[in-house]
């Protein structure tokens, strides 16, 4: 029972405490609410004051901006009014200028109308004068035709023919003058260059031959060379490919062969056999083989020496070998090797005078006849064979072209290097002592020159003199005039150059002479 009372008393105190807490909390909430309400009223009042201040400031700013815009607008209006005033003044000035121009144009228009009327009158007058002139010209033309017995077209043709003759005569005179000036200058330069080249080049002479003479210590050696029943001589001929001629010539035998290399091998082999004294077929074969193997080195040494003498040190070994073979081939009074070295030197001198690459010119001159080393084995002209060899061993295009064209007569489109090699080749082979001309060929050339000259119309006689260096042609004085003689000499020279090949140059002299004979009795 006490417990229930205690619980009841406890509950009572709890309820009373709870109620007291609620009352206390409500009182604190009221104080808080009253304080918050006072704060809100204060904030509201401050906000209203701030609003009034902002509105007042906005009104003031708006008024200030309005005043500024008003001022700007007034200034802009004033500026526009000034511009409008200026434009108005400008328009007024333009109007005044246009009015003045219109008045001037009206005046000019009236003047033009007056001038047009005057010109119309003059045009009518001139037309009447032109018509009158045409009538007069027609009357004069008819009068001239009746006097000259010639129509207008015929008169035109006669006039044109006369003008053409005068123009042709003037052109011929000018052409002759230019040719003479060019010839004098060309002769001066050519003589200077060629004389310099000739002075600086010298060479030895050899005889052009297909035989070689081998000396013997005594005539008894001939029998040993022949051998029993001719077996030794047959062995020599079979091993070397040459013909061995043993005749009555004292202490000498003759080797005959068109191949100079075979002939040289046979000569060296025979000299060694004679010196050794043992001459029999086995020894002959052994000696010829040994000489042939050694001869390849001799050929290379000859080619290297020629290249060294020419100042060319970078030739292909095969080209050097082909070059060495040229020593054993002759042309006129020279070996071909001497000829190519001489041409190389002349090319170098001429190239230096002309401003061309001297080393390339010497190279082309040295290789220009390289084809002659194998032309007995390969078909074709030696210039084409040489060009193929140079191309095979990587020579330059300029050198190949010069080698190919060094015998070409048409040099109008040739390169300067080709022309230099061509000229140097001609200079080397046609100088005195370098070549010998066969009598039959010489006579045929002179006869061909006479036939060409006699083939021209008006030539009565012709004479080839100075060993083919000059031609004198006599013309009939009644058939050709003095001015036509010059053209005839030019035509003869041109045809000789075109149809014949001759050393140096040929002087063409055309003689026209009138003679009148009378007798006093």
């Amino acid at each position: 029972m006490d417990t229930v009372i205690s619980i009841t008393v406890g509950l009572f105190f709890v309820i009373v405490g709870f109620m007291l807490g609620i009352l206390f909390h409500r009182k604190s909430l009221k104080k808080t609410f009253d304080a918050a309400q006072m704060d809100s009223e204060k904030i509201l009042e401050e906000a209203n004051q701030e609003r009034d201040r902002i509105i007042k400031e906005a009104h003031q700013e708006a008024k200030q901006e309005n005043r500024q815009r008003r001022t700007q607008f007034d200034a802009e209006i004033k500026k526009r009014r000034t511009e409008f005033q200026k434009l108005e003044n400008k328009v007024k000035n333009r109007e005044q200028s246009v009015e003045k121009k219109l008045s001037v144009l009206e005046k000019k228009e009236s003047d033009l109308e007056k001038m047009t009327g005057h010109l119309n009158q003059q045009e009518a007058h001139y037309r009447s004068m032109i018509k009158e002139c045409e009538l007069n010209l027609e009357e004069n033309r008819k009068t001239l035709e009746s006097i000259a017995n010639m129509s207008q077209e015929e008169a035109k043709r006669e006039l044109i023919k006369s003008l053409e003759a005068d123009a042709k005569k003037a052109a011929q005179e000018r052409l002759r003058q230019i040719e003479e000036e060019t010839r004098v200058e060309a002769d001066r330069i050519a003589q200077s260059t060629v004389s310099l080249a000739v002075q600086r080049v010298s060479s030895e002479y050899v005889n052009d031959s297909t035989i070689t003479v081998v000396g013997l210590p005594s005539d008894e050696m001939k029998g040993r060379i022949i051998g029993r029943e001719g077996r030794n001589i047959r062995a020599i001929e079979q091993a070397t490919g040459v013909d061995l001629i043993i005749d009555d010539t004292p202490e000498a035998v003759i080797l005959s062969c068109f191949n100079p290399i075979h002939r040289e091998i046979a000569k060296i082999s025979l000299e060694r056999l004679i010196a050794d004294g043992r001459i029999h077929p086995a020894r002959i074969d052994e000696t010829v083989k040994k000489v042939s193997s050694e001869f390849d080195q001799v050929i290379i040494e000859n080619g290297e020496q020629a290249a060294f003498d020419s100042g060319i040190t970078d030739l292909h070994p095969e080209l050097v070998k082909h070059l060495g073979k040229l020593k054993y081939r002759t042309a006129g009074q020279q070996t071909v090797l001497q000829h190519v070295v001489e041409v190389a030197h002349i090319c170098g001198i001429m190239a230096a005078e002309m401003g061309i690459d001297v080393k390339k010119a010497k190279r082309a001159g040295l290789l220009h006849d390289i084809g002659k080393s194998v032309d007995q084995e390969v078909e074709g002209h030696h210039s084409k064979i040489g060009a193929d060899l140079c191309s095979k061993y990587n020579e330059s295009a300029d050198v190949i072209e010069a080698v190919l064209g060094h015998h070409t007569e048409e040099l109008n489109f040739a390169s300067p290097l080709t022309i230099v090699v061509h000229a140097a080749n001609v200079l080397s082979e046609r100088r005195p002592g370098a070549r010998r001309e066969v009598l039959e060929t010489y006579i045929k050339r002179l006869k061909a020159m006479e036939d060409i000259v006699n083939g021209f119309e008006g030539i009565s006689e012709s004479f080839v003199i100075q060993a083919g260096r000059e031609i004198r042609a006599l013309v009939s004085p009644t058939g050709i005039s003095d001015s036509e003689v010059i053209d005839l000499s030019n035509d003869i020279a041109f045809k000789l150059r075109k149809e014949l090949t001759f050393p140096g140059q040929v002087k063409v002299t055309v003689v026209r002479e009138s003679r009148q004979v009378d007798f006093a009795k």
Side-chain angles (χ1 to χ4, degrees):
M1 187 67 176
D2 291 333
T3 304
V4 173
I5 294 171
S6 299
I7 294 171
T8 304
V9 172
L11 288 174
F12 175 77
F13 280 112
V14 169
I15 293 170
V16 171
F18 180 73
M19 292 298 291
L20 290 174
I22 291 172
L23 290 175
F24 180 76
H25 181 67
R26 181 177 295 177
K27 187 176 182 179
S28 63
L29 285 176
K30 185 177 180 182
K31 287 181 181 180
T32 304
F33 177 75
D34 291 339
Q37 188 173 6
M38 289 177 66
D39 290 337
S40 65
E41 289 176 356
K42 187 177 180 181
I43 291 171
L44 181 62
E45 184 179 358
E46 289 176 357
N48 290 331
Q49 292 176 358
E50 183 68 18
R51 180 194 64 188
D52 294 338
R53 186 183 64 79
I54 291 172
I55 290 172
K56 186 177 181 180
E57 289 179 357
H59 281 298
Q60 290 177 356
E61 289 177 0
K63 288 179 181 181
Q64 184 68 24
E65 186 178 357
N66 190 21
R67 282 195 297 269
Q68 291 178 355
R69 289 185 177 181
R70 182 77 178 181
T71 303
Q72 292 177 356
F73 180 74
D74 291 341
E76 186 71 22
I77 291 295
K78 187 177 181 180
K79 184 179 178 182
R80 293 289 180 89
R81 283 177 182 175
T82 304
E83 291 178 355
F84 287 147
Q85 186 67 32
K86 290 181 180 179
L87 290 173
E88 187 176 358
N89 294 333
K90 192 174 181 180
V91 170
K92 287 180 180 180
N93 292 332
R94 289 282 181 89
E95 287 178 353
Q96 293 176 359
S97 176
V98 169
E99 288 177 357
K100 290 180 181 179
K101 289 182 179 180
L102 285 174
S103 62
V104 172
L105 288 174
E106 289 175 355
K107 184 178 180 181
K108 287 184 177 180
E109 186 177 359
S110 62
D111 293 339
L112 286 174
E113 289 178 355
K114 292 179 182 179
M115 291 177 66
T116 302
H118 181 65
L119 289 174
N120 289 334
Q121 293 176 0
Q122 288 185 347
E123 184 180 1
H125 177 66
Y126 288 145
R127 284 181 178 177
S128 62
M129 290 179 66
I130 290 171
K131 191 172 183 181
E132 184 178 355
C133 289
E134 288 177 351
L135 293 174
N136 291 333
L137 286 173
E138 183 65 23
E139 292 177 0
N140 292 334
R141 186 180 63 79
K142 290 180 180 179
T143 304
L144 288 173
E145 288 179 357
S146 62
I147 294 172
N149 292 326
M150 187 182 299
S151 65
Q152 184 179 1
E153 293 298 327
E154 292 173 345
K156 285 182 180 179
R157 285 195 294 270
E158 288 295 325
L159 178 61
I160 292 172
K161 186 176 180 181
S162 176
L163 292 174
E164 286 180 348
D166 293 341
K168 184 176 180 181
K169 184 176 180 181
Q172 288 175 346
E173 291 294 333
R174 180 59 180 160
L175 180 61
R176 283 192 289 271
Q177 181 181 358
I178 294 172
E179 286 180 349
E180 185 63 26
E181 293 174 356
T182 306
R183 186 180 295 110
V184 171
E185 182 66 16
D187 289 343
R188 183 186 67 79
I189 296 174
Q191 289 172 3
S192 175
T193 303
V194 172
S195 63
L196 178 63
V198 172
Q199 289 172 7
R200 293 176 60 183
V201 174
S202 61
S203 62
E204 300 176 352
Y205 297 154
V206 299
N207 289 326
D208 186 6
S209 177
T210 58
I211 62 173
T212 300
V213 179
V214 179
L216 302 177
S218 65
D219 286 338
E220 296 179 357
M221 186 62 66
K222 292 182 179 179
R224 299 179 63 183
I225 292 174
I226 295 172
R228 184 180 299 177
E229 298 179 356
R231 64 176 185 174
N232 290 345
I233 192 172
R234 287 195 300 271
I236 293 173
E237 291 179 345
Q238 184 176 1
T240 60
V242 303
D243 293 331
L244 192 61
I245 302 173
I246 301 177
D247 54 14
D248 295 335
T249 305
E251 298 181 355
V253 294
I254 299 173
L255 303 176
S256 177
C257 180
F258 285 104
N259 191 314
I261 296 177
H262 291 175
R263 198 166 63 244
E264 187 68 17
I265 292 174
K267 176 187 174 183
I268 297 174
S269 300
L270 188 58
E271 288 176 346
R272 291 189 180 182
L273 289 170
I274 293 171
D276 183 56
R278 295 175 293 171
I279 304 176
H280 52 82
R283 181 65 177 169
I284 291 171
D285 289 341
E286 179 185 353
T287 303
V288 170
K289 290 179 180 179
K290 185 177 181 180
V291 170
S292 298
S293 63
E294 294 174 355
F295 198 70
D296 289 338
Q297 183 61 33
V298 174
I299 289 175
I300 293 174
E301 291 175 357
N302 292 334
E304 290 176 346
Q305 184 63 42
F308 177 78
D309 293 341
S310 303
I312 308 298
T313 58
D314 56 346
L315 282 178
H316 192 280
E318 289 298 322
L319 289 179
V320 172
K321 188 174 181 180
H322 286 297
L323 198 62
K325 292 180 181 179
L326 297 180
K327 181 178 180 179
Y328 304 100
R329 177 164 177 171
T330 58
Q333 301 286 44
Q334 297 174 302
T335 66
V336 178
L337 185 60
Q338 289 173 323
H339 167 67
V340 298
V341 172
E342 182 177 288
V343 170
H345 288 305
I346 296 175
C347 284
I349 297 167
M350 296 177 72
E353 293 295 321
M354 297 173 62
I356 302 174
D357 188 343
V358 174
K359 187 174 181 180
K360 186 177 288 186
K362 284 188 173 184
R363 194 181 194 93
L366 185 66
L367 297 176
H368 80 281
D369 273 347
I370 196 73
K372 288 185 178 180
S373 63
V374 292
D375 62 350
Q376 294 177 345
E377 306 167 8
V378 181
E379 293 185 0
H381 194 271
H382 72 272
S383 60
K384 177 67 170 62
I385 299 172
D388 292 340
L389 284 174
C390 292
S391 176
K392 180 179 179 181
Y393 297 114
N394 301 321
E395 290 295 322
S396 66
D398 293 339
V399 173
I400 295 171
E401 181 184 354
V403 173
L404 181 62
H406 76 274
H407 277 300
T408 303
E409 295 299 330
E410 295 295 332
L411 297 174
N412 294 332
F413 302 101
S415 65
L417 183 60
T418 303
I419 296 173
V420 167
V421 174
H422 180 275
N425 180 58
V426 173
L427 181 61
S428 174
E429 69 183 10
R430 294 181 182 176
R431 62 177 173 77
R435 295 287 191 271
R436 294 182 303 176
E437 190 170 15
V438 180
L439 178 61
E440 183 180 357
T441 306
Y442 170 72
I443 294 175
K444 286 183 179 180
R445 179 164 60 84
L446 299 188
K447 182 66 169 60
M449 295 172 76
E450 288 186 351
D451 292 341
I452 289 175
V453 176
N454 292 332
F456 282 87
E457 185 178 356
I459 300 293
S460 59
E461 291 181 283
S462 65
F463 304 95
V464 180
I465 60 177
Q466 295 186 4
R469 302 283 179 161
E470 182 179 355
I471 295 178
R472 292 185 183 177
L474 304 181
V475 301
S476 175
T478 58
I480 297 178
S481 64
D482 286 337
S483 61
E484 292 174 336
V485 167
I486 300 175
D487 297 333
L488 181 60
S489 65
N490 291 334
D491 294 340
I492 292 174
F494 176 77
K495 193 168 184 180
L496 288 173
R497 286 195 302 269
K498 184 177 180 181
E499 297 187 6
L500 292 181
T501 300
F502 43 81
Q505 63 181 10
V506 177
K507 180 180 179 181
V508 179
T509 304
V510 179
V511 180
R512 178 182 182 272
E513 183 180 9
S514 298
R515 295 185 183 182
Q516 184 64 35
V517 181
D518 201 354
F519 297 94
K521 297 181 181 179

